Amino acid sequence: MVRANHNRLRALGGAVGLFAVAASAHAADLPSVKEPSPAPVVDSFQPFFVKLGFTYALNTSSSRLWGQSPTALLQGVTTAFPAGVGATLTDVATIGFEAGFYVTHNISVDVSAAIPFYIKDKTKGYNPANPVLFSGTTLAQIMPAIVPITVLYHFDNFGPIRPYIGGGIGVGWSFDNKNAFLNDVHVSSSLGPVIQGGVDYMFDRNWGLSLDVKKAFNYVQSYANGVNLPVVGPFPAKTYQHTNFDPWLFSIGLVYRFGGGEPLLAKY
């Protein structure tokens, strides 16, 4: 009896072994399944760009004035005193442009400029004497220029929308100065920090719409060698003006990217 059970167990074990071998052979005959290949990425990177559009300079500037009093000068006193009023610059609308290149896919170096126009340097406040100055008196007309040079980081995980932020320096000077209440006006050059932010919306690999804002912080010193007094006329008196030239620069326009050749399959 025991021997018969032992023979049956040996037969059952052999059958199981044969089934395992057959299953292995069948599995070896089946085609292997590969992981799907990732979709190819088209690299349409264009390293150079230019922007052209409308720029509005909101001049949130403020100035401190000192001057030699004509009355005191006639008495031989040449010391310059606070003028009793401040000054500010008017806003200006112009055509702005910007150019630059991408050092990497996300970091660019930008240079901005605009067509210069004359703006008015006006008094802010009222001084009743030596000389009389009413608020809003035009001291001079100047043609300022500021050229921001910035480094920007562009975020590229929003599809065609590419916001950016960064900063740099702004170089400022005046192309020309016209007399008004002041004569023989001189404006020094300046250098100060600039912060910048904005967004590019790309229609395709080359063309897009750009919205941009910059804030400049420049300190400017200027002086004049004379004043135009009512009735008296031109009078030699030194006037000094220290200005915190801190405009907001708002721009909207087209952006064109180029220089990358035809799109290629990305290698990364």
Side-chain angles (χ1 to χ4, degrees):
M1 183 66 177
V2 175
R3 186 178 183 85
N5 289 336
H6 180 71
N7 290 335
R8 282 197 294 271
L9 289 174
R10 290 181 61 188
L12 180 61
V16 171
L18 290 173
F19 178 78
V21 171
S24 299
H26 179 70
D29 293 336
L30 292 176
S32 59
V33 178
K34 296 182 179 179
E35 291 292 330
S37 300
V41 179
V42 176
D43 184 6
S44 58
F45 181 62
Q46 305 289 311
F48 300 98
F49 64 89
V50 292
K51 296 181 180 181
L52 179 66
F54 171 80
T55 296
Y56 187 81
L58 179 64
N59 281 311
T60 56
S61 61
S62 61
S63 300
R64 298 183 301 278
L65 295 173
W66 289 265
Q68 293 174 310
S69 168
T71 302
L73 281 173
L74 292 175
Q75 298 173 354
V77 180
T78 60
T79 305
F81 298 95
V85 297
T88 187
L89 302 174
T90 56
D91 301 340
V92 63
T94 183
I95 301 299
F97 46 92
E98 188 169 340
F101 65 94
Y102 283 81
V103 181
T104 70
H105 277 64
N106 298 98
I107 299 175
S108 70
V109 177
D110 298 40
V111 179
S112 308
I115 297 176
F117 288 97
Y118 283 105
I119 63 175
K120 293 181 178 181
D121 181 18
K122 294 184 174 183
T123 58
K124 192 174 183 180
Y126 171 67
N127 183 26
N130 296 326
V132 176
L133 282 174
F134 296 96
S135 184
T137 299
T138 300
L139 298 172
Q141 294 189 63
I142 62 175
M143 186 182 287
I146 186 166
V147 177
I149 304 171
T150 53
V151 177
L152 304 177
Y153 184 86
H154 301 255
F155 302 89
D156 58 2
N157 52 343
F158 301 101
I161 302 174
R162 291 180 58 87
Y164 56 84
I165 191 170
I169 59 173
V171 183
W173 69 92
S174 177
F175 281 105
D176 190 37
N177 310 300
K178 289 184 177 180
N179 297 334
F181 180 79
L182 301 178
N183 286 331
D184 192 20
V185 178
H186 300 264
V187 179
S188 67
S189 57
S190 62
L191 183 69
V194 175
I195 55 176
Q196 181 178 358
V199 60
D200 294 335
Y201 181 83
M202 300 305 297
F203 305 134
D204 54 33
R205 64 192 295 263
N206 296 111
W207 291 97
L209 177 68
S210 179
L211 301 174
D212 184 89
V213 60
K214 302 179 185 73
K215 176 66 172 177
F217 303 90
N218 282 41
Y219 179 74
V220 182
Q221 300 185 55
S222 56
Y223 68 92
N225 288 318
V227 295
N228 287 312
L229 297 177
V231 181
V232 176
F235 189 90
K238 200 91 169 183
T239 302
Y240 304 91
Q241 180 170 337
H242 295 176
T243 303
N244 292 315
F245 183 56
D246 304 333
W248 287 93
L249 305 172
F250 301 96
S251 301
I252 180 172
L254 293 175
V255 53
Y256 179 72
R257 294 185 60 173
F258 61 97
E262 293 301 318
L264 300 172
L265 293 182
K267 296 182 181 180
Y268 42 77

